[in-house]
Amino acid sequence: MAKQNVAEQFVDILVRAGVRRLYGVVGDSLNPIVDAVRRNSAIDWVHVRHEESAAFAAGAEAQITGRLAACAGSCGPGNLHLINGLYDAHRSMAPVLALASHIPSSEIGLGYFQETHPDRLFLECSHYSELISSPKQMPRLLQTAIQHAVGQRGVSVVSLPGDVADEPAPEKAPESALVTSRPTIRPGDAELDRLVEMIDAARRVTLFCGAGTAGAHAEVMEFAGRIKSPVGHALRGKEWIQYDNPFDVGMSGLLGYGAAYEATHECDLLILLGTDFPYNAFLPDDVQIAQIDVRPEVLGRRSRLDLAVWGDVRETLRCLVPRVKEKTDRRFLDRMLKKHADALEGVVKAYTRKVEKHVPIHPEYVAAVLDEVADDDAVFTIDTGMCNVWGARYISPNGRRRIIGSFSHGSMANALPMAIGAQFTDRRRQVVAMSGDGGFAMLMGEFLTLVQHDLPVKVVLFNNSSLGMVELEMLVAGLPSYGTANTNPDFAAVARACGAYGIRVERPKQLAGALKDAFRHKGPALVDVVTDPNALSIPPKISAEMVTGFALSASKIVLEGGVGRMLQMARSNLRNVRRP
């Protein structure tokens, strides 16, 4: 039996860690790794058109499965292209192992062709970034990188010169156990005791939830019911906490709606649950605040804290529920529920009058119809920009759907490559990329990746021929829009030229049928919907605050564009409000 080389040993360790595919673009320094993948039936090479997409795809796979995913780039420019997708994965707490292959080891530091220093370049977007300089070093270093990515939930980068990858591996190294999952973390008794005291003493408590509430929906609902608390959420908390929520008061932040802002400012005690919500301008500074998070480094990063609690949200709430006194006064909760419903009633018609006849098509209408016809367990990947608004307002979570995007990093062009990673996890599950024309055009080559791998991703293209969010930002700053127009082709024709299903929609009556036809198609499909470029560009009125930035009143005025089925839930929740 032939002796293993370092590349084969490297790939074997990835397989033992649960990695099932390696996303990337081949290149000479990567050849030993790619060939090792070719000869290993337990792992696949996924050829993409741009390494940035490889990192986005790996990050999406990790977010969908919760397991380690991997990507690779060849030396110099190849692995440099990974960096944007790795930043996104790292900030999304997605466990990703990135292989940055390197120039020949004897040439490092001598200005060789395509020379960079990837072990330095990726330090800011990783928990671990190191160079393998000898075969004997590889197994332990790779294991350490894997444990950093899984244990700290983020990116690890391993730099490997091509010549080292091709060298014979040392005698079979002991197969050390690998970390593949995280434990739960229970807070200390002193912090729990103090939090119980604060909750029992407060008359009005509000919960504000982020992505850290994943898997804790039942516990949050039980806790909110016990203390009669309104429940608001950040964008990354939407998919985990909004559905089946009789305490829902909406979302805060730049895309906020409903009564979440009021509920966080009019309480006596605000409890931040698993959120690193970045916009501290939307958080109060005159109420007591407690924060519960599994990451101690984010406690108090956004606001002044009266109590920092280091713990897993679900485990912490399980400890709290039997210890806090049940509150009987629900006047604050009822008032916030009514404010929430009233707020949604007031905005739902702002941009939706006669939408079935409006040409160009209202993007809100597109999102609302998409929400209705998509599968109950669909995965939505959402482009940064105005698609974030439509996803936040109209895509309804239900506990089975997933909604992922570049919500922390805010990169353009994320939806299509994320859809690749999401679809590879399950070819039978519906995956919908909500793409803007700007984002889609930026990494349009990845549509060829869908065709090449016969991935049945459905791209719903919101085509307003502009960078809509940038136009909105200019408006808010009091500037005329400039440099934001896109000259676009018929994207449906482009899709057909690539060998996929493509249909262009210019009238509202065509929309539902076009989406259903695309969703029935067995392979990749694109629905090019020509949408109104003026949607949200001209708000009902312009306030003084709009020229100074996204203040609360400005964001409310500019982004009041309807809320889809959330209004129905708010109306339903009002049934719980006691009538005088």
Side-chain angles (χ1 to χ4, degrees):
M1 181 177 176
K3 186 178 177 65
Q4 271 194 324
N5 65 13
V6 170
E8 292 168 321
Q9 194 176 66
F10 187 101
V11 171
D12 281 351
I13 293 172
L14 289 185
V15 170
R16 284 202 299 116
V19 175
R20 293 295 172 260
R21 55 195 62 84
L22 194 57
Y23 301 91
V25 178
V26 298
D28 56 355
S29 59
L30 262 179
N31 286 345
I33 292 289
V34 175
D35 191 59
V37 171
R38 178 183 66 84
R39 290 181 284 109
N40 192 319
S41 61
I43 189 170
D44 294 319
W45 178 264
V46 178
H47 170 57
V48 297
R49 293 316 202 267
H50 194 292
E51 289 91 350
E52 177 181 355
S53 302
F56 272 126
E61 178 183 323
Q63 289 182 69
I64 294 296
T65 65
R67 300 190 302 269
L68 182 70
C71 58
S74 59
C75 62
N79 62 58
L80 275 177
H81 284 159
L82 292 169
I83 197 162
N84 192 50
L86 292 183
Y87 260 100
D88 183 82
H90 194 56
R91 299 186 70 181
S92 299
M93 298 181 67
V96 170
L97 188 286
L99 168 60
S101 70
H102 207 351
I103 63 172
S105 57
S106 61
E107 302 297 331
I108 294 173
L110 298 174
Y112 190 72
F113 176 66
Q114 293 190 326
E115 181 175 8
T116 59
H117 292 87
D119 53 317
R120 304 179 199 170
L121 286 166
F122 295 103
L123 282 173
E124 190 173 302
C125 63
S126 68
H127 290 303
Y128 184 86
S129 181
E130 291 292 348
L131 170 68
I132 296 173
S133 54
S134 76
K136 290 182 179 180
Q137 181 191 13
M138 192 281 291
R140 285 187 299 154
L141 191 146
L142 180 55
Q143 176 175 328
T144 301
I146 290 169
Q147 291 179 174
H148 274 77
V150 175
Q152 296 186 41
R153 289 196 292 185
V155 169
S156 283
V157 181
V158 173
S159 302
L160 177 63
D163 62 309
V164 175
D166 209 21
E167 289 184 28
E171 293 301 323
K172 188 172 179 63
E175 292 191 357
S176 300
L178 292 168
V179 170
T180 55
S181 61
R182 288 173 56 87
T184 58
I185 297 176
R186 178 192 184 278
D189 287 333
E191 286 74 25
L192 286 171
D193 290 343
R194 176 63 183 134
L195 185 53
V196 169
E197 290 175 7
M198 293 171 68
I199 294 168
D200 287 346
R203 291 185 301 114
R204 302 182 300 273
V205 182
T206 293
L207 306 180
F208 186 66
C209 303
T213 57
H217 183 274
E219 287 77 11
V220 174
M221 296 303 107
E222 183 181 9
F223 185 54
R226 188 166 182 82
I227 64 173
K228 307 300 182 288
S229 169
V231 177
H233 61 268
L235 179 55
R236 290 192 66 204
K238 173 185 172 72
E239 63 176 327
W240 307 115
I241 219 70
Q242 186 193 41
Y243 68 95
D244 295 341
N245 182 353
F247 314 102
D248 179 56
V249 292
M251 188 170 77
S252 191
L254 301 181
L255 310 184
Y257 58 82
Y261 182 90
E262 288 81 358
T264 57
H265 282 71
E266 296 180 26
C267 60
D268 300 322
L269 172 63
L270 172 63
I271 303 178
L272 306 175
L273 292 178
T275 179
D276 191 28
F277 181 69
Y279 304 109
N280 55 10
F282 288 86
L283 294 173
D285 55 12
D286 58 352
V287 304
Q288 280 195 310
I289 302 177
Q291 184 178 3
I292 301 169
D293 208 289
V294 75
R295 300 167 297 167
E297 69 273 16
V298 308
L299 293 169
R301 184 156 75 173
R302 308 299 183 193
S303 64
R304 173 195 55 76
L305 289 187
D306 296 278
L307 181 64
V309 180
W310 181 10
D312 175 83
V313 169
R314 183 169 64 175
E315 189 67 23
T316 303
L317 295 185
R318 285 176 174 175
C319 293
L320 282 176
V321 167
R323 298 175 64 173
V324 297
K325 296 176 182 176
E326 183 167 8
K327 296 186 186 296
T328 58
D329 184 351
R330 54 175 292 147
R331 286 177 295 178
F332 176 62
L333 170 61
D334 289 347
R335 183 161 60 86
M336 290 300 113
L337 290 175
K338 188 171 188 312
K339 273 194 174 186
H340 179 60
D342 290 346
L344 299 194
E345 292 276 7
V347 304
V348 73
K349 297 179 181 178
Y351 290 93
T352 54
R353 294 184 182 90
K354 301 181 180 179
V355 289
E356 296 87 352
K357 299 180 180 179
H358 186 90
V359 178
I361 302 170
H362 273 314
E364 298 91 338
Y365 180 67
V366 180
V369 175
L370 172 60
D371 183 53
E372 292 285 349
V373 303
D375 288 351
D376 286 341
D377 66 344
V379 177
F380 296 88
T381 62
I382 302 177
D383 257 346
T384 298
M386 295 312 300
C387 284
N388 261 326
V389 180
W390 318 137
R393 296 300 182 85
Y394 289 92
I395 300 304
S396 304
N398 57 12
R400 298 172 61 202
R401 287 177 166 180
R402 291 300 311 274
I403 304 170
I404 61 175
S406 187
F407 299 142
S408 295
H409 187 51
S411 174
M412 277 185 69
N414 62 285
L416 178 56
M418 282 182 166
I420 293 170
Q423 191 71 83
F424 263 113
T425 67
D426 185 350
R427 287 178 174 269
R428 295 168 298 178
R429 190 175 186 181
Q430 187 181 81
V431 176
V432 181
M434 293 177 61
S435 296
D437 57 293
F440 180 79
M442 184 177 282
L443 287 175
M444 188 163 56
E446 299 310 334
F447 197 79
L448 296 171
T449 302
L450 301 184
V451 175
Q452 180 161 336
H453 296 285
D454 194 27
L455 291 173
V457 169
K458 314 306 178 191
V459 179
V460 179
L461 188 59
F462 290 72
N463 182 3
N464 63 0
S465 297
S466 72
L467 302 178
M469 181 61 80
V470 180
E471 284 194 357
L472 180 59
E473 291 165 351
M474 290 177 173
L475 173 71
V476 170
L479 301 172
S481 62
Y482 182 75
T484 58
N486 293 327
T487 300
N488 290 329
D490 180 338
F491 286 111
V494 172
R496 293 193 294 271
C498 292
Y501 181 91
I503 185 169
R504 187 173 173 92
V505 178
E506 297 181 349
R507 295 190 173 277
K509 289 183 178 179
Q510 303 169 326
L511 179 62
L515 289 174
K516 291 175 182 177
D517 288 346
F519 289 169
R520 281 193 292 264
H521 182 71
K522 298 298 183 182
L526 182 144
V527 182
D528 180 7
V529 187
V530 180
T531 59
D532 187 353
N534 294 316
L536 293 187
S537 291
I538 304 175
K541 63 178 180 177
I542 297 177
S543 68
E545 291 90 341
M546 292 186 68
V547 299
T548 60
F550 268 113
L552 169 67
S553 57
S555 66
K556 282 185 171 180
I557 293 168
V558 175
L559 297 175
E560 284 178 352
V563 289
R565 287 192 281 181
M566 284 180 281
L567 178 59
Q568 299 171 20
M569 187 172 73
R571 287 170 174 165
S572 176
N573 287 345
L574 278 182
R575 296 171 190 163
N576 298 319
V577 176
R578 294 174 183 172
R579 304 301 178 187

